[in-house]
């Protein structure tokens, strides 16, 4: 009878929690999405107004592709700080999840929690030291290559008639091809870094899981812990890993978005005086 009451109580709590989660996703994130959309529009308008107020001398000092990139691609990269699949709010949520799950795991079994962290912490350190650290620099190089490619494409379109007159189509096409290949090269560097981070997941994930099964199974066989406790540890470990992966990916995406933020900030600090 007591077990039935406990089961009913657990199901009731689960139902209430699911309802609150549904309301959270349907209200908070909807309001957040509307706010980010308005924020992006305000940034684009402010940036366009600032560029349009610059002197002709400063406008002519840069290629048209540079301004196109600063007004479009740079803003798109910058606002990814708040509107890409894993961004700043997700980092905050994942930190909260990691803290809560860590406390629960430590209460269930401190030794197994320590074992789990032996696999999780190195992954985070490697992810941040060897992957995320250079992301801002690599993303900045991508934006610079994008600006060069846009300038070459702009010249290819605008100067098409003159190029045909002087038989210079090949010259313009070669420049566009070179800048396109350079842009591809810069993008591949970022993809290689992300692939490096993704390659760590099986190592820490399966390695930690096998270690938990081996040691936890031995403890359960010896009667030191129950099978239910072992299952609970495995389930909470999964939640901890998901949150840690979300945090790692969010930090990498934030580092990438900072390249756009820096370039937008640089554009806004160009003085309007001639």
């Amino acid at each position: 009878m007591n077990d039935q009451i406990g089961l009913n109580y657990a199901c009731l709590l689960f139902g209430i929690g699911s309802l609150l989660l549904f309301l959270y996703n349907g209200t908070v994130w909807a309001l957040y999405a509307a706010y980010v959309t308005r924020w992006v529009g305000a940034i684009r308008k402010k940036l366009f107004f600032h560029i349009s107020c610059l002197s002709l001398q400063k406008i002519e000092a840069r290629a048209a592709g540079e301004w196109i990139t600063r007004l479009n691609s740079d803003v798109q990269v910058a606002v990814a700080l708040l509107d890409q699949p894993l961004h700043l709010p997700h980092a905050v949520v994942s930190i909260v999840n990691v803290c809560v799950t860590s406390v629960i795991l430590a209460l269930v079994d401190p030794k197994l929690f320590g074992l789990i962290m032996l696999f999780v912490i190195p992954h985070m350190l490697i992810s941040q030291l060897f992957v995320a650290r250079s992301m801002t620099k690599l993303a900045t190089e991508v934006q610079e290559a994008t600006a060069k490619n846009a300038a070459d494409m702009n010249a290819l379109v605008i100067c098409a008639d003159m190029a045909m007159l002087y038989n210079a189509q090949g010259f313009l096409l070669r420049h566009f091809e070179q800048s396109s290949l350079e842009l591809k090269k810069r993008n591949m560097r970022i993809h290689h870094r992300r692939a490096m981070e993704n390659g760590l997941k099986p190592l820490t994930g399966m390695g930690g899981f096998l270690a938990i099964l081996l040691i936890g199974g031995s403890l359960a066989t010896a009667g030191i812990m129950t099978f239910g406790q072992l299952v609970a540890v495995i389930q909470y470990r999964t939640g901890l890993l998901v949150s840690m992966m979300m945090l790692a990916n969010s930090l990498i995406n934030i580092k990438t978005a900072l390249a756009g933020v820096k370039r937008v900030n640089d554009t806004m600090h160009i003085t309007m005086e001639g």
Side-chain angles (χ1 to χ4, degrees):
M1 185 65 180
N2 291 332
D3 292 340
Q4 183 65 38
I5 295 175
L7 179 61
N8 293 336
Y9 181 70
C11 291
L12 178 62
L13 288 179
F14 179 79
I16 294 174
S18 299
L19 179 61
L20 292 176
L21 181 61
F22 174 78
L23 294 175
Y24 164 75
N25 289 327
T27 55
V28 174
W29 285 108
L31 295 174
Y32 174 80
Y35 166 77
V36 171
T37 301
R38 292 193 299 269
W39 180 69
V40 172
I43 288 180
R44 289 188 182 276
K45 289 180 181 178
K46 188 174 182 180
L47 189 63
F48 179 80
F49 176 78
H50 182 80
I51 293 176
S52 63
C53 291
L54 295 176
S55 64
L56 180 61
Q57 180 182 1
K58 291 190 175 182
I59 293 293
E60 293 293 336
R62 301 173 186 263
E66 177 72 21
W67 294 115
I68 293 173
T69 301
R70 288 182 178 272
L71 188 58
N72 293 285
S73 181
D74 286 355
V75 175
Q76 183 178 355
V77 173
V79 299
L81 186 68
L82 295 178
D83 72 347
Q84 61 185 339
L86 291 174
H87 44 68
L88 186 59
H90 286 94
V92 176
V93 172
S94 62
I95 290 174
V96 174
N97 290 340
V98 167
C99 293
V100 173
T101 308
S102 297
V103 171
I104 295 175
L105 276 172
L107 293 175
V108 173
D109 194 297
K111 294 181 180 179
L112 290 182
F113 171 66
L115 179 63
I116 292 171
M117 297 308 292
L118 283 178
F119 286 87
V120 172
I121 292 177
H123 176 267
M124 287 297 298
L125 290 177
I126 294 174
S127 173
Q128 297 308 304
L129 293 177
F130 296 99
V131 180
R133 172 181 287 184
S134 59
M135 275 299 182
T136 302
K137 178 183 177 182
L138 294 176
T140 301
E141 293 176 353
V142 168
Q143 292 306 106
E144 293 172 352
T146 301
K148 180 66 170 60
N149 185 248
D152 290 340
M153 182 176 64
N154 184 67
L156 188 63
V157 174
I158 293 179
C159 302
D161 294 338
M162 187 174 295
M164 292 179 62
L165 179 63
Y166 292 99
N167 196 26
Q169 301 99 316
F171 174 79
L172 293 178
L173 287 172
R174 282 194 299 272
H175 271 268
F176 181 65
E177 180 185 16
Q178 291 173 0
S179 63
S180 298
L181 292 175
E182 182 64 22
L183 176 59
K184 176 184 176 182
K185 178 181 177 182
R186 301 295 181 182
N187 277 314
M188 286 304 298
R189 289 183 178 179
I190 290 183
H191 293 314
H192 287 159
R193 292 282 179 170
R194 291 185 180 275
M196 183 188 304
E197 198 275 335
N198 290 331
L200 294 173
K201 293 179 182 179
L203 178 62
T204 57
M206 292 304 299
F209 181 69
L210 292 175
I212 291 296
L213 283 181
L214 179 62
I215 298 177
S218 300
L219 294 176
T221 302
I224 299 176
M225 68 182 306
T226 64
F227 179 75
Q229 288 177 319
L230 177 59
V231 173
V233 168
I234 293 175
Q235 292 297 323
Y236 284 123
R237 171 191 169 274
T238 302
L240 178 63
L241 285 182
V242 170
S243 298
M244 293 297 285
M245 295 304 104
M246 181 187 296
L247 177 60
N249 289 326
S250 296
L251 293 177
I252 291 174
N253 290 338
I254 290 171
K255 286 280 189 178
T256 304
L258 288 178
V261 173
K262 182 179 182 299
R263 283 176 59 88
V264 170
N265 189 55
D266 291 342
T267 304
M268 293 301 298
H269 280 81
I270 299 176
T271 56
M272 296 185 183
E273 292 81 13

